[in-house]
Amino acid sequence: MESIKELYKIGIGPSSSHTMGPKTAAERFLQRNGNAARFEVTLYGSLAATGKGHMTDKIIIDTFKNKNIEVIFGDGDESKLYHPNTMTLEAFDENDNSIDSWRVYSVGGGKIEIEGQPSVAVQDVYPLNTFADIKAYCDKTNMRLHEYVREVEGDEIFLYLSVVWETMKQAIE
């Protein structure tokens, strides 16, 4: 089982697919092409159709900071796409030649897949896979569920979850 941190993520915006995924894609692309003269990011499908309201363009512009960046809202028709949350990132040199391009899918929970690159699987941190197994282990060791979480993830998981809780409360208010 993945870390609880994969289930409860801290991020900006009303939709992790529309903000956290595009932010991750922009950060990685910028790291790879930091010396480019300018950038274009084109949003497709759901990212294009609802990106303004979900702050997709804002998070991309903020991530590229002082770089020359243009966010383009492309076709919102999802029927032609491999994934409904699709974006293309492109870097250009000083002569306006394209020097790199990625097609990225924001697949949910802030995770992305880059077309043509192998997917990166999240590592399992819990040795037990089912709640029945976890319950049996807790019964055998006279442990409560939160103690099992502490045993596997360490004390810092509770600080992380308290930040998640406070973030959620602020979003609701």
Side-chain angles (χ1 to χ4, degrees):
M1 187 171 90
E2 299 173 351
S3 169
I4 289 175
K5 292 177 184 176
E6 288 298 316
L7 300 174
Y8 297 103
K9 292 188 178 179
I10 301 168
I12 189 169
S15 165
S16 60
S17 296
H18 284 68
T19 52
M20 292 168 61
K23 178 179 173 60
T24 298
E27 287 170 341
R28 290 187 193 170
F29 193 74
L30 183 58
Q31 183 178 24
R32 178 177 157 124
N33 295 286
N35 292 327
R38 71 178 191 88
F39 299 89
E40 286 181 4
V41 176
T42 305
L43 307 174
Y44 300 98
S46 182
L47 293 179
T50 63
K52 277 279 187 207
H54 285 107
M55 301 186 304
T56 308
D57 55 334
K58 180 179 180 349
I59 197 70
I60 291 168
I61 291 167
D62 289 352
T63 303
F64 277 88
K65 296 180 180 76
N66 298 323
K67 299 289 186 177
N68 183 355
I69 174 73
E70 181 182 7
V71 177
I72 301 164
F73 288 84
D75 189 349
D77 182 6
E78 297 177 14
S79 66
K80 308 179 273 197
L81 299 171
Y82 170 76
H83 192 280
N85 294 325
T86 298
M87 59 192 292
T88 300
L89 297 97
E90 193 164 10
F92 297 87
D93 67 13
E94 59 281 345
N95 296 318
D96 216 30
N97 297 310
S98 178
I99 55 175
D100 198 8
S101 179
W102 282 0
R103 175 64 69 111
V104 178
Y105 311 109
S106 182
V107 297
K111 297 176 187 168
I112 63 168
E113 291 183 7
I114 303 168
E115 191 173 82
Q117 295 185 18
S119 296
V120 178
V122 176
Q123 296 296 99
D124 288 339
V125 297
Y126 285 83
L128 303 173
N129 295 328
T130 67
F131 185 74
D133 290 344
I134 293 169
K135 182 180 181 320
Y137 176 79
C138 287
D139 288 345
K140 179 181 171 187
T141 59
N142 197 28
M143 189 180 286
R144 299 188 70 150
L145 185 58
H146 72 275
E147 293 169 320
Y148 174 70
V149 170
R150 175 180 283 128
E151 178 180 284
V152 175
E153 301 223 29
D155 286 335
E156 64 274 3
I157 190 64
F158 297 109
L159 176 60
Y160 180 85
L161 290 174
S162 70
V163 171
V164 169
W165 175 249
E166 289 302 318
T167 304
M168 289 172 56
K169 282 187 354 188
Q170 289 173 8
I172 292 169
E173 295 173 347

